[in-house]
C-alpha cells in the first residue's frame, strides 16, 4: 500500500487493499471476484460501470449514498446521461484509467448548485474478465459534507487533483 499513500479515507484504503488482495499475481481482478459481504463497509459509496469500447461507460450499480446524492438510481444509464455537461470530463478520467490500466484517485473541492462546498475523494479500480483488458471499473466516492448537505446532486464546479498509479 506504500504506492497509495495519497489515498486518505480509511474506507477507500480498505477497498483498495481488498482489490489488491483479489488481484493477486494478475494485473487486475474480475468483476466476478468481488464479494459484497467482504466490502460491506464501502457498499453505500460504491459504484460499478461497464466499459463499452471505444469510449463509453454504463452504470451497472450504485450504492445508497450515490443514489441519494443524484436523487435517482443511475443503474443502466450511460455516463453522458448521468453527468450531463460534465460527462466528457468524467469520461476522460475514466478512459485514462482504462487505457493505462491504472488505479485512479481523485481528491476534489466541489461546489454544488446549492452553493454547498464539500470535499470529495474517489478511487477507481479497473476490472478485467481476461486479466488483460479492462471491461469494468469499480469505484467509490466519499464526500465530507460536514454540517451542510446539498439539496440536489448537481455539482456546479469541481477542482480535482487526479493521480493515476499503473498496475501492470
Amino acid at each position: 500500500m506504500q504506492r497509495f499513500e495519497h489515498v486518505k479515507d480509511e474506507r477507500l484504503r480498505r477497498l483498495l487493499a481488498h482489490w489488491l488482495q483479489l488481484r493477486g499475481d494478475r494485473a487486475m481482478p474480475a468483476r466476478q471476484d468481488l464479494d459484497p459481504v467482504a466490502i460491506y463497509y464501502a457498499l453505500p459509496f460504491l459504484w460499478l460501470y461497464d466499459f463499452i469500447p471505444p469510449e463509453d461507460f454504463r452504470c451497472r450499480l450504485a450504492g445508497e449514498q450515490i443514489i441519494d446524492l443524484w436523487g435517482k438510481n443511475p443503474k443502466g444509464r450511460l455516463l453522458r446521461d448521468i453527468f450531463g455537461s460534465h460527462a466528457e470530463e468524467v469520461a476522460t478520467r475514466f478512459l485514462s484509467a482504462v487505457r493505462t490500466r491504472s488505479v485512479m484517485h481523485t481528491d476534489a473541492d466541489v461546489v454544488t448548485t446549492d452553493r454547498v462546498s464539500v470535499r470529495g475523494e474517489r478511487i477507481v479500480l479497473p476490472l478485467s474478465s481476461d486479466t488483460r483488458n479492462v471491461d469494468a471499473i469499480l469505484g467509490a466516492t466519499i464526500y465530507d459534507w460536514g454540517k451542510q448537505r446539498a439539496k440536489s446532486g448537481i455539482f456546479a464546479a469541481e477542482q480535482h487533483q487526479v493521480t493515476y498509479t499503473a498496475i501492470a
Side-chain angles (χ1 to χ4, degrees):
M1 291 283 291
Q2 199 170 32
R3 291 177 20 189
F4 299 101
E5 290 175 354
H6 52 281
V7 179
K8 305 282 188 272
D9 188 275
E10 185 58 31
R11 295 162 291 190
L12 296 181
R13 291 183 66 73
R14 287 176 66 191
L15 181 62
L16 175 59
H18 180 70
W19 180 89
L20 289 167
Q21 180 182 12
L22 288 176
R23 172 186 138 169
D25 293 335
R26 301 176 290 175
M28 64 201 100
R31 182 172 44 90
Q32 294 78 4
D33 295 331
L34 299 174
D35 178 5
V37 174
I39 53 175
Y40 69 91
Y41 53 87
L43 293 179
F45 314 100
L46 208 66
W47 43 267
L48 179 68
Y49 283 88
D50 291 326
F51 173 53
I52 304 169
E55 298 185 338
D56 214 346
F57 295 87
R58 181 182 313 279
C59 183
R60 179 174 284 276
L61 67 87
E64 294 170 14
Q65 290 203 11
I66 302 300
I67 294 169
D68 181 51
L69 178 68
W70 289 100
K72 57 185 168 184
N73 193 337
K75 182 180 178 182
R77 296 173 62 206
L78 295 173
L79 206 60
R80 64 180 166 267
D81 299 326
I82 298 167
F83 289 94
S85 63
H86 298 286
E88 188 175 329
E89 177 186 346
V90 174
T92 298
R93 288 193 309 263
F94 287 0
L95 284 168
S96 290
V98 167
R99 291 179 178 149
T100 63
R101 296 179 1 166
S102 297
V103 171
M104 184 190 92
H105 174 261
T106 64
D107 211 359
D109 290 312
V110 181
V111 178
T112 71
T113 53
D114 300 330
R115 297 185 183 170
V116 174
S117 294
V118 63
R119 291 285 302 155
E121 189 175 3
R122 173 178 302 118
I123 195 158
V124 174
L125 305 165
L127 302 171
S128 174
S129 55
D130 68 6
T131 73
R132 291 182 312 281
N133 300 298
V134 178
D135 51 24
I137 55 173
L138 174 67
T141 306
I142 297 178
Y143 293 102
D144 181 6
W145 294 100
K147 295 181 180 181
Q148 303 183 62
R149 182 62 166 103
K151 296 176 187 162
S152 70
I154 301 170
F155 295 133
E158 295 185 66
Q159 296 295 321
H160 291 277
Q161 178 179 345
V162 183
T163 305
Y164 296 95
T165 306
I167 53 168

